[in-house]
Amino acid sequence: FTNSPMVKKALPSFEQFKRSWQGILGVAALSIVSIWASDASLMYIGITLNQLMKACTPLPTMALSYFIERKRFAWPMVLAVVLIVCGAGLAVPASDSESAAFGIIMALTSTLATAAALSLKARLMANSAANGLTPLVLLFYSSGASVPVLLLWFLCIDERSEVGAYAGTHARDRKSVV
């Protein structure tokens, strides 16, 4: 079973990585920026505003797909995405209208990095039948590059002790409820 050509193409290989390493590292870097910027934004803006900004991801994804993938979209689709973005903008609570500019910039950076990563992944997987870069294989490679960087970042930040304290407190709270 594992000797079949179909299974060999679905498994990660060094040759596969060599052929697409630039795109794979690009996806990993964009994933790192997306996670880092999103987390950084939450120090300055509320989760509601952060999530509303993330709801706007389809618009830059569509724009970047046009340039990266050479994809064209029907006008009804573009109009639907513009309406979603306008709706998300209208949903911003008045209390969040005076949020810190740095938090908004970080949330926008995260949104753009997510959009770029989606378009780059689609471009890399466009010929998955020939190059074997299926979603799972691409996730394997990009995680192998991004997880160590994010783990190192987590170990270097001051919040590490706060995460443990939060988890310990909430784990005890859940035990007392059960």
Side-chain angles (χ1 to χ4, degrees):
F1 177 73
T2 57
N3 290 331
S4 75
M6 182 71 83
V7 171
K8 284 187 178 182
K9 224 177 243 190
L11 295 174
S13 69
F14 184 69
E15 284 300 315
Q16 207 176 41
F17 181 79
K18 261 181 26 181
R19 278 194 310 269
S20 305
W21 70 271
Q22 292 166 321
I24 291 167
L25 292 181
V27 167
L30 289 167
S31 297
I32 290 166
V33 168
S34 175
I35 292 168
W36 170 76
S38 182
D39 289 353
S41 75
L42 291 173
M43 302 297 284
Y44 301 94
I45 64 173
I47 187 86
T48 303
L49 183 56
N50 181 286
Q51 291 302 303
L52 286 170
M53 291 178 80
K54 292 283 191 174
C56 298
T57 303
L59 185 63
T61 301
M62 189 176 273
L64 290 170
S65 292
Y66 176 81
F67 293 107
I68 294 174
E69 301 172 63
R70 305 285 187 233
K71 209 177 215 184
R72 306 257 189 253
F73 297 94
W75 282 109
M77 173 88 67
V78 173
L79 181 61
V81 168
V82 168
L83 288 174
I84 288 170
V85 170
C86 289
L90 291 172
V92 174
S95 62
D96 284 350
S97 63
E98 294 182 19
S99 295
F102 183 75
I104 292 171
I105 290 169
M106 288 292 97
L108 284 173
T109 300
S110 175
T111 300
L112 291 174
T114 299
L118 288 169
S119 294
L120 185 54
K121 287 174 190 176
R123 174 103 188 249
L124 288 170
M125 292 184 296
N127 196 12
S128 63
N131 65 17
L133 280 178
T134 62
L136 192 57
V137 170
L138 187 55
L139 177 66
F140 172 81
Y141 288 131
S142 63
S143 296
S146 61
V147 168
V149 172
L150 291 169
L151 180 61
L152 181 63
W153 173 51
F154 173 73
L155 293 173
C156 292
I157 62 174
D158 294 335
E159 293 177 27
R160 189 177 64 254
S161 59
E162 294 173 22
V163 171
Y166 178 85
T169 303
H170 284 73
R172 279 191 296 266
D173 290 346
R174 291 189 59 86
K175 287 179 185 175
S176 63
V177 172
V178 176

